[in-house]
């Protein structure tokens, strides 16, 4: 399942309520209650994605007849999820463009004045254009996997040719099955972003619940009962993605008028606007992807046993990074409205918004870091191999440090994205990638590879804190603008 991002993405199923006529016309109010509710919803959505990924790993690991399938799962999921992750720039772009449209439309007026215009047609166009681009990108992913998949897998595996040959058939079968639904998977990413940005928290949760149920049942049937291994896990994930996207698309279609198209190709003006914002974001996504891919690449130098251990550790890491990722989404969704709001609005002040965000960041870091200490010592939940469990335990300390740092890093990154400091972000990931590559080049063993991730987090935190310091000073000095 797609996440980091994470991502990823990311289990309750309350009934869908009919959309109010003005629901999509206002920027979400930035109150303490709304922020915490938003975090709970987005975290539950993305946690479910991570849980399903852990279930995939567990069912394959416990049912596999050899270590080869568990080792193949890492490069296979890394490749297909990485290609899908690159499309996450549409998620970020959709969120920010919608937030900007809404903030510009209504948040600067006094509470007792009516909105000057109806923003719905403009915001609907943002969504339909994003879905149109999503379909094109998904089709490109499908073609890329089927034409160049074997070569791409080499990027995620640097072991000897004999070991690569053992995992290649299973890995490629998994990737080809997942790629068949890539266009609709990317549409689901955009649709989820649009609904959350519009304040609809129910439908994304319902979609994830649908996906979770399908994936869990199909994993148990195909992998555990019918012993289909990686192919069964791929079919389960693909069908779960289809179910989720269907729920999201149905809601968006109902919210729009019958004359509006669900997907459109953006005109020249809109395309330039999208590229201007999405281009640097795409570069940031590539920076993250390549940096995390380097971890798996160097881990494969130490044999299939270490690679299998590393794959499980990554799943655990991405499960806990979900908490920090939600803070980035909060910043992107609410900060434009907070900065643009006046004293009569219901929004928190900039200082209030920053205080609650920083408090949540520290709390998430402590919780995730401490929880990971227990998770890394529970390798038996993912594999019966005592050797793999033992290797996992040696990486508990660097994972603890990485997860403590992750929430503040993502909070600051979200602040920078919402302020459109995109060129700086792009440059920061060049520096961060150079840092992790240098550390990995001098690593020796799996624990040192994970300490390289700690260095990567520290460099990101230092750069983001430096660039965000004017906003932080402005907020704590009591000024919104």
């Amino acid at each position: 399942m797609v996440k980091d991002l994470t991502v990823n993405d990311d289990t309750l199923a309350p009934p869908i309520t009919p959309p109010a006529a003005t629901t999509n016309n206002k920027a979400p109010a930035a109150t303490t209650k709304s922020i915490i509710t938003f975090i709970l919803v987005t975290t539950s959505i993305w946690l479910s994605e991570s849980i399903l990924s852990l279930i995939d790993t567990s069912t394959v690991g416990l049912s596999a007849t050899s270590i080869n399938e568990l080792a193949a799962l890492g490069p296979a999921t890394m490749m297909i999820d990485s290609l899908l992750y690159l499309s996450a720039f549409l998620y970020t772009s959709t969120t920010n463009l919608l937030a900007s449209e809404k903030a510009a439309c209504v948040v600067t007026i006094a509470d007792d004045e009516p909105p000057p215009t109806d923003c719905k047609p403009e915001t609907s166009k943002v969504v339909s254009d994003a879905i149109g681009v999503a379909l094109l990108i998904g089709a490109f992913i499908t073609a890329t996997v089927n034409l160049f998949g074997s070569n791409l897998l080499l990027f995620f595996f640097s072991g000897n040719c004999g070991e690569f040959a053992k995992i290649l058939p299973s890995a490629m079968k998994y990737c080809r099955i997942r790629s068949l639904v890539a266009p609709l998977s990317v549409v689901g990413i955009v649709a989820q972003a649009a609904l959350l940005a519009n304040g609809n928290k129910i439908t994304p949760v319902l979609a994830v619940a649908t996906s979770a149920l399908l994936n869990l049942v199909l994993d148990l049937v195909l992998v555990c009962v019918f012993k289909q291994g990686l192919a069964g896990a791929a079919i389960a994930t693909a069908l779960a993605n289809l179910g989720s996207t269907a729920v999201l698309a149905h809601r968006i279609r109902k919210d729009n008028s019958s004359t509006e198209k669900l997907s459109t190709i953006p005109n020249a003006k809109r395309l330039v606007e999208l590229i201007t914002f999405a281009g640097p974001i795409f570069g940031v996504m590539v920076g993250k992807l390549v940096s995390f891919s380097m971890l798996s690449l160097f881990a494969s130098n130490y044999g299939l046993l270490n690679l299998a251990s590393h794959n499980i550790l990554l799943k655990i890491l991405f499960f806990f990074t979900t908490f920090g990722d939600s803070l980035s989404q909060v910043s992107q969704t609410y900060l434009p409205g907070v900065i643009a709001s006046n004293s009569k609005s219901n929004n928190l002040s900039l200082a209030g918004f920053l205080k609650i965000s920083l408090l949540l960041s520290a709390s998430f870091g402590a919780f995730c870091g401490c929880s990971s200490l227990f998770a890394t010592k529970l390798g038996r939940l993912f594999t019966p191999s005592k050797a793999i469990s033992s290797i996992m335990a040696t990486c508990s300390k660097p994972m603890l440090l990485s997860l403590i740092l992750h929430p503040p890093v993502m909070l600051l990154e979200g602040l920078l994205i919402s302020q459109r400091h995109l060129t700086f972000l792009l440059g920061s990931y060049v520096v961060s990638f150079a840092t992790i590559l240098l550390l990995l080049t001098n690593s020796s063993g799996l624990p040192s590879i994970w300490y390289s991730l700690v260095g990567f987090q520290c460099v990101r935190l230092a750069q983001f804190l430096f660039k965000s310091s004017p906003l932080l000073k402005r907020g704590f000095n009591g000024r919104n603008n």
Side-chain angles (χ1 to χ4, degrees), residues 8 20 44-45 69 76 146 201 259 306 363 389:
N8 253 134
S44 66
I45 289 171
E69 279 208 328
N146 284 277
K201 303 178 183 71
T259 60
N306 277 283
S363 301
S389 298

Side-chain angles (χ1 to χ4, degrees), residues 9-53:
D9 182 330
D10 346 19
T11 53
L12 305 175
I16 297 177
T17 56
T22 60
T23 297
N24 291 337
N25 298 343
K26 296 182 179 180
T31 64
T32 301
K33 180 180 178 181
S34 67
I35 288 173
I36 292 176
T37 301
F38 185 90
I39 287 176
L40 289 174
V41 171
T42 54
T43 302
S44 66
I45 289 171
W46 294 338
L47 275 179
S48 69
E49 302 285 350
S50 297
I51 290 171
L52 293 175
S53 183

Side-chain angles (χ1 to χ4, degrees), residues 6-167:
T6 226
V7 103
N8 253 134
D9 182 330
D10 346 19
T11 53
L12 305 175
I16 297 177
T17 56
T22 60
T23 297
N24 291 337
N25 298 343
K26 296 182 179 180
T31 64
T32 301
K33 180 180 178 181
S34 67
I35 288 173
I36 292 176
T37 301
F38 185 90
I39 287 176
L40 289 174
V41 171
T42 54
T43 302
S44 66
I45 289 171
W46 294 338
L47 275 179
S48 69
E49 302 285 350
S50 297
I51 290 171
L52 293 175
S53 183
L54 288 170
I55 291 172
D56 282 349
T57 303
S58 182
T59 52
V60 171
L62 295 174
S63 303
T65 56
S66 72
I67 196 176
N68 292 342
E69 279 208 328
L70 183 57
L73 181 63
T77 55
M78 183 66 76
M79 186 183 87
I80 189 66
D81 285 351
S82 294
L83 290 172
L84 290 170
Y85 175 74
L86 288 177
S87 67
F89 73 91
L90 285 174
Y91 188 107
T92 302
S93 301
T94 303
T95 298
N96 280 268
L97 291 174
L98 282 174
S100 297
E101 290 281 357
K102 293 171 184 300
C105 184
V106 297
V107 298
T108 58
I109 63 171
D111 289 348
D112 57 351
E113 297 178 8
T117 57
D118 184 354
C119 301
K120 186 173 180 178
E122 195 64 22
T123 56
S124 296
K125 193 67 171 67
V126 171
V127 176
S128 63
D129 285 349
I131 290 177
V133 174
L135 287 170
L136 295 176
I137 291 175
F140 175 77
I141 291 174
T142 301
T144 299
V145 170
N146 284 277
L147 293 175
F148 310 108
S150 298
N151 293 328
L152 284 174
L153 274 172
L154 280 170
F155 177 76
F156 300 100
F157 188 88
S158 66
N160 62 58
C161 294
E163 290 178 335
F164 181 73
K166 293 177 183 177
I167 70 170

Side-chain angles (χ1 to χ4, degrees), residues 66-72 157 159-160 163 166-167 298-313 383-395 446 450:
S66 72
I67 196 176
N68 292 342
E69 279 208 328
L70 183 57
F157 188 88
N160 62 58
E163 290 178 335
K166 293 177 183 177
I167 70 170
F298 277 82
S300 64
N301 286 325
Y302 299 102
L304 293 182
L305 197 63
N306 277 283
L307 180 59
S309 304
H310 176 74
N311 292 337
I312 297 174
L313 288 168
T383 174
S385 172
K386 292 183 179 179
I388 291 178
S389 298
S390 177
I391 293 172
M392 287 174 59
T394 64
C395 300
L446 196 59
W450 279 81

Side-chain angles (χ1 to χ4, degrees), residues 317-476:
L317 176 78
F318 291 148
F319 174 85
F320 287 111
T321 55
T322 299
F323 292 90
D325 294 342
S326 67
L327 293 175
S328 176
Q329 192 67 23
V330 163
S331 297
Q332 295 172 51
T333 300
Y334 288 101
L335 187 62
V338 169
I339 291 177
S341 62
N342 58 32
S343 59
K344 294 183 180 181
S345 73
N346 293 324
N347 283 338
L348 288 167
S349 65
L350 180 57
F353 175 80
L354 292 175
K355 285 177 182 177
I356 188 172
S357 298
L358 291 170
L359 178 61
L360 289 169
S361 169
S363 301
F364 286 166
F367 168 74
C368 294
C370 294
S371 298
S372 70
L373 285 176
F374 297 99
T376 52
K377 298 181 184 299
L378 296 175
R380 63 182 180 275
L381 295 177
F382 305 96
T383 174
S385 172
K386 292 183 179 179
I388 291 178
S389 298
S390 177
I391 293 172
M392 287 174 59
T394 64
C395 300
S396 59
K397 289 183 180 179
M399 182 177 284
L400 164 71
L401 295 174
S402 295
L403 287 171
I404 288 175
L405 293 169
H406 186 74
V409 166
M410 294 311 297
L411 170 61
L412 294 173
E413 182 177 289
L415 295 177
L416 295 177
I417 291 175
S418 67
Q419 296 177 90
R420 308 293 178 91
H421 293 309
L422 306 180
T423 302
F424 173 84
L425 273 174
L426 190 58
S428 73
Y429 272 96
V430 174
V431 175
S432 300
F433 172 70
T435 300
I436 196 170
L437 183 61
L438 177 64
L439 293 172
L440 287 170
T441 302
N442 293 281
S443 63
S444 57
L446 196 59
S448 63
I449 286 175
W450 279 81
Y451 274 111
S452 299
L453 178 60
V454 178
F456 175 73
Q457 298 281 53
C458 288
V459 170
R460 288 203 294 173
L461 180 62
Q463 293 178 96
F464 297 167
L465 188 58
F466 168 77
K467 189 63 176 179
S468 299
S469 57
L471 177 69
L472 297 175
K473 290 178 182 177
R474 190 174 80 197
F476 291 120

